[in-house]
């Protein structure tokens, strides 16, 4: 406990699923949390429950990001951690994914992550450094059937993480990616139906198991780690079984 004491952390998509679990664990570890989501009802309920702030944000809205960072700095003094967790899944393969759906999933999962990193970097520099954690997916390590747009969006998250880590290292801002496999959340209800086989560890993962890795990357325990991929998938992408 207390590994994030005094840190001001923004977590996007924290009204549900893994982001909500991360918000709970961050608060328990002493962080001052800003929950940023389009789902005002669930976001405000969780904020009240854990003593956090809720701020309405659509991650595709650049001006919204600027307002979020300003409000977090005004409330907590600094922005030390950003978890770019908000994401959507859109199913479709090379012949049946619509252009509209491809642009939408890239807008939320990829452009949203870029806008977030861009918005927090000056605030983190003012704070003397920071940690950005981008939530990718094992769909950013391998391909998936009928997941062309989702895969493209998550491979881009992985590439941007490494490029941004190089750009921001001189400012003492670390940037890492976390790639969950199949994790039990509202989103994965649909994914589970499309995924065949069982991971080597024999079960679907839990949000708490992803949150544990995210907390480590947010904390000073990971002070020499940047630009790295962290896979939390029960061994699914380790190789053939
Ligand atoms: N669940 C899985 O198995 C799995 C596996 C790998 C990666 N992921 C990734 O983990 C992240 C969280 O997934 P989850 O399963 O917890 O999903 P979820 O659907 O439970 O939660 C996603 C949250 O993001 C919010 N959101 C969606 N669009 C938004 C936008 N434009 N702006 C702000 N908020 C928005 C939603 O309101 C929701 O609260 C996503 O990036 C997802 O791609 C999930």
């Amino acid at each position: 406990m207390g590994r994030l004491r005094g840190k001001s952390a923004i977590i996007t998509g924290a009204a549900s699923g893994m982001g909500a679990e991360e918000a709970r664990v961050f608060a328990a570890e002493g962080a001052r949390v800003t929950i940023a989501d389009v789902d005002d009802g669930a976001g405000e309920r969780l904020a009240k429950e854990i003593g956090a702030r809720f701020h309405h944000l659509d991650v595709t809205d650049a001006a919204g990001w600027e307002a979020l960072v300003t409000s977090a700095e005004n409330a907590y003094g600094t922005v030390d951690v950003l978890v770019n967790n908000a994401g959507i899944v859109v199913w479709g393969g090379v012949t049946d994914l619509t252009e509209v759906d491809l642009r939408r999933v890239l807008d939320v999962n990829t452009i949203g992550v870029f806008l977030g990193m861009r918005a927090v970097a000056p605030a983190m520099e003012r704070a003397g450094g920071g940690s950005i954690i981008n939530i990718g997916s094992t769909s950013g390590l391998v391909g998936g059937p009928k997941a062309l747009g989702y895969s493209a969006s998550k491979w881009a998250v992985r590439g941007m993480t490494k490029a941004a880590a190089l750009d921001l290292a001189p400012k003492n801002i670390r940037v890492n990616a976390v790639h969950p496999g199949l994790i039990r959340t509202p989103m994965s209800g649909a994914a589970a139906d499309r995924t065949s086989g069982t991971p080597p560890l024999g079960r679907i993962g839990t949000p708490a198991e992803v949150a544990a890795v995210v907390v480590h990357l947010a904390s000073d325990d990971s002070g020499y780690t940047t630009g790295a991929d962290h896979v939390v998938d029960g061994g699914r992408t380790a190789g053939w079984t």
Side-chain angles (χ1 to χ4, degrees):
M1 289 295 145
R3 283 182 295 166
L4 303 180
R5 193 172 306 288
K7 291 191 190 294
S8 160
I10 295 170
I11 308 175
T12 68
S16 169
M18 278 183 264
E21 181 64 17
E22 285 150 18
R24 285 194 183 90
V25 178
F26 271 49
E29 291 286 354
R32 293 166 297 175
V33 176
T34 301
I35 293 169
D37 206 295
V38 287
D39 184 344
D40 296 357
E44 274 164 5
R45 271 194 303 280
L46 179 60
K48 200 167 166 200
E49 178 193 321
I50 65 172
R53 304 171 62 241
F54 174 76
H55 187 105
H56 179 92
L57 174 76
D58 180 334
V59 294
T60 67
D61 174 11
W65 270 107
E66 296 304 325
L68 167 65
V69 170
T70 301
S71 86
E73 270 190 316
N74 287 342
Y76 295 146
T78 56
V79 174
D80 307 294
V81 178
L82 168 65
V83 185
N84 268 318
N85 164 80
I88 58 170
V89 65
V90 173
W91 296 109
V94 65
T95 55
D96 59 356
L97 180 68
T98 68
E99 187 181 335
V100 168
D101 280 349
L102 175 59
R103 289 184 189 280
R104 175 71 188 147
V105 73
L106 291 174
D107 205 18
V108 175
N109 293 5
T110 304
I111 307 293
V113 168
F114 159 68
L115 293 176
M117 292 194 292
R118 189 180 70 174
V120 299
M124 288 184 174
E125 192 177 357
R126 284 192 285 280
S131 174
I132 298 172
I133 299 112
N134 295 327
I135 305 300
S137 167
T138 47
S139 297
L141 304 172
V142 296
K146 299 291 183 193
L148 185 141
Y150 187 71
S151 252
S153 74
K154 295 298 190 178
W155 277 82
V157 166
R158 210 176 147 204
M160 287 194 302
T161 298
K162 292 184 187 297
L166 299 179
D167 291 343
L168 297 177
K171 296 171 178 171
N172 194 31
I173 300 169
R174 300 183 293 109
V175 189
N176 287 285
V178 172
H179 303 294
L182 194 54
I183 307 295
R184 203 173 295 285
T185 71
M187 177 190 279
S188 64
D193 297 339
R194 287 179 161 77
T195 306
S196 59
T198 306
L201 285 180
R203 60 181 176 80
I204 291 177
T206 66
E209 289 170 316
V210 178
V213 176
V214 175
V215 166
H216 171 70
L217 292 171
S219 79
D220 298 337
D221 292 347
S222 58
Y224 198 54
T225 302
T226 194
D229 292 310
H230 304 267
V231 181
V232 189
D233 72 345
R236 186 168 194 103
T237 53
W240 296 105
T241 53

